[in-house]
Amino acid sequence: MQIYLSRPDITQKEIDAVCAVLRTPDLSLGPKVREFEQAFAKYIGRKRAVAVNSGTSGLFLCVLALEIGPGDEVITTPFTFIATVNSIMMAGATPVFVDIDPTTLNINPAKIEAKITDKTKAILPVEIFGNPAGFDKVCEIAGKYNLKVLEDSCESLGSALNGKKTGTFGILSVFGLYPNKQITTGEGGVILTDDDRMADVCESLRNQGRGKGGGWLEHERLGYNYRLSDINCALGIVQLSRIDEIKAKRRQVAKWYQEMLSSEKRLIVPAEPPGCDVSWFVFVVRLADPSAAQHRDKILEAMKKRDIQVSNYFSPVHLQPFMVERFGYKPGDFPVCESVSKSTIALPFYNNLTKDQVAIVCKTLKEILDERKNI
Ligand SMILES: Cc1ncc(COP(=O)(O)O)c(C=O)c1O
């Protein structure tokens, strides 16, 4: 039997909520969108939420709302999902990478200042794997240089740093709602902000550039159709109402992994950094010995052969073929990101993973490591 990398957690409540919308004529632009946005803004503790059809479109609209475009630079991390960086490039701006901290795996605040130029408009940090470590320091630097922070919270719904929730660090922040996330709407994303003007711009941009109170065929600006339907929002409302339960279930799965792998010296097992309340997104272990990294892909293959889905989160963004072609990046440009990327093994991780399944994953991984004597 396969043990999956990730699975959504859909109960009868979600099914009923979606079916109820399907019995109405309001499949889109109806009341569930506002209801979802209001519940989301309340949960995060921000004034406004704008629901969109993906985390990527949310980030892109935020870059546009910040009036960042050609000639501007945005500082970000190379250790992320590609969409973070694409959102900058889609707006015609240039991503400027800063290497990561080897412990938190987030952008290294100590290395940011050296990359700030007179073209820098914003910093786009990511709470990688749900972890908000270092975000206070990133905001401090942004404040010192009068830069905006756009927070990529796509992986961190429910996390906090020193009691401050993720999604409240940036002037704008974005959550992702793809089915592997803490909660899902099928596809979707949510922009959060306290700034009414920017929220209004994002609402207009997601809806073909229409204005508040304007007609269906009146367009104030170049816009997009990035709307999230009422069907998706109905699913999201129920999922969000279960966030505490979901967070607790994921914490339990993470704890089982931590316990079962605690004596495993060949692995670096993730733990909650000081001051962080992590809402676990994925569970990514790393090979402890850098020279063992050469075996990583074989280990992934061996796990998959034994019906356990695993992944190599994340491959360095700056070394993706189109980035190399466009900017001329080469191996060695961001060495911490590159060495971390070579050593990661994302293990199966989702709400309803059982203790027995976690035990099978850990036992199989240990056996595969044993088969390779020099790790
Ligand atoms: C860090 C990060 N940023 C952005 C995204 C993009 O979100 P989506 O897949 O909803 O477009 C993701 C989603 O996987 C992500 O993990």
Side-chain angles (χ1 to χ4, degrees), residues 53-59 80-84 126-129 152-155 174-178 180-181 187-189 281 314:
N53 62 355
S54 74
T56 309
S57 37
L59 287 166
T80 183
F81 183 61
I82 193 75
T84 309
V126 181
E127 286 120 6
I128 207 71
F129 307 151
D152 184 340
S153 299
C154 281
E155 302 187 355
V174 179
F175 289 92
L177 301 169
Y178 183 74
N180 68 345
K181 299 297 187 299
E187 292 281 0
F281 165 51
F314 278 110

Side-chain angles (χ1 to χ4, degrees), residues 173-306:
S173 41
V174 179
F175 289 92
L177 301 169
Y178 183 74
N180 68 345
K181 299 297 187 299
Q182 287 88 344
I183 72 162
T184 187
T185 51
E187 292 281 0
V190 182
I191 299 165
L192 276 302
T193 186
D194 293 327
D195 186 309
D196 279 323
R197 193 186 57 81
M198 284 202 224
D200 289 344
V201 169
C202 289
E203 281 188 2
S204 169
L205 286 169
R206 82 166 163 190
N207 189 20
Q208 306 285 18
R210 296 184 177 101
K212 266 196 169 164
W216 186 249
L217 296 178
E218 250 176 79
H219 308 275
E220 289 179 352
R221 52 172 63 78
L222 174 67
Y224 306 84
N225 180 354
Y226 288 168
R227 295 185 303 260
L228 192 63
S229 81
D230 283 57
I231 305 167
N232 299 97
C233 288
L235 173 54
I237 291 164
V238 179
Q239 288 263 290
L240 187 62
S241 74
R242 296 177 51 218
I243 182 69
D244 291 342
E245 169 213 333
I246 286 171
K247 202 176 141 183
K249 278 177 160 180
R250 296 173 90 86
R251 181 175 288 276
Q252 176 62 75
V253 177
K255 204 161 164 245
W256 286 328
Y257 271 127
Q258 286 165 333
E259 285 164 7
M260 291 184 210
L261 295 173
S262 63
S263 61
E264 185 44 77
K265 297 281 173 287
R266 294 167 292 186
L267 298 174
I268 299 170
V269 178
E272 238 164 347
C276 293
D277 171 3
V278 175
S279 172
W280 292 86
F281 165 51
V282 283
F283 199 85
V284 180
V285 298
R286 284 184 281 153
L287 296 166
D289 179 354
S291 67
Q294 57 180 312
H295 301 284
R296 196 274 311 269
D297 291 348
K298 290 269 182 322
I299 296 167
L300 295 179
E301 256 174 57
M303 291 288 282
K304 286 178 194 163
K305 270 204 189 116
R306 292 175 65 170

Side-chain angles (χ1 to χ4, degrees), residues 25-242:
D26 297 318
L27 303 191
S28 187
L29 292 165
K32 289 294 167 192
V33 181
R34 279 281 177 259
E35 194 183 327
F36 181 51
E37 289 174 337
Q38 282 167 4
F40 217 109
K42 187 165 175 230
Y43 174 70
I44 300 298
R46 295 210 84 162
K47 199 167 169 194
R48 300 278 296 272
V50 180
V52 287
N53 62 355
S54 74
T56 309
S57 37
L59 287 166
F60 173 50
L61 294 193
C62 289
V63 176
L64 295 182
L66 290 168
E67 296 178 4
I68 291 169
D72 296 332
E73 292 178 354
V74 178
I75 289 177
T76 191
T77 165
F79 189 67
T80 183
F81 183 61
I82 193 75
T84 309
V85 179
N86 284 353
S87 70
I88 300 167
M89 292 170 65
M90 283 153 64
T94 305
V96 173
F97 295 113
V98 167
D99 210 347
I100 57 170
D101 178 299
T103 315
T104 68
L105 311 188
N106 284 338
I107 192 167
N108 189 336
K111 293 186 176 170
I112 291 178
E113 286 189 77
K115 291 292 185 85
I116 296 173
T117 71
D118 54 5
K119 291 182 184 160
T120 311
K121 291 288 175 319
I123 307 177
L124 204 180
V126 181
E127 286 120 6
I128 207 71
F129 307 151
N131 164 23
F135 269 57
D136 45 353
K137 295 196 188 97
V138 172
C139 290
E140 229 175 86
I141 295 162
K144 185 170 155 193
Y145 289 89
N146 202 20
L147 300 173
K148 302 280 193 286
V149 173
L150 165 54
E151 183 184 2
D152 184 340
S153 299
C154 281
E155 302 187 355
S156 74
L157 183 65
S159 294
L161 174 62
N162 299 321
K164 187 173 161 60
K165 274 209 174 107
T166 62
T168 63
F169 287 94
I171 181 163
L172 290 152
S173 41
V174 179
F175 289 92
L177 301 169
Y178 183 74
N180 68 345
K181 299 297 187 299
Q182 287 88 344
I183 72 162
T184 187
T185 51
E187 292 281 0
V190 182
I191 299 165
L192 276 302
T193 186
D194 293 327
D195 186 309
D196 279 323
R197 193 186 57 81
M198 284 202 224
D200 289 344
V201 169
C202 289
E203 281 188 2
S204 169
L205 286 169
R206 82 166 163 190
N207 189 20
Q208 306 285 18
R210 296 184 177 101
K212 266 196 169 164
W216 186 249
L217 296 178
E218 250 176 79
H219 308 275
E220 289 179 352
R221 52 172 63 78
L222 174 67
Y224 306 84
N225 180 354
Y226 288 168
R227 295 185 303 260
L228 192 63
S229 81
D230 283 57
I231 305 167
N232 299 97
C233 288
L235 173 54
I237 291 164
V238 179
Q239 288 263 290
L240 187 62
S241 74
R242 296 177 51 218

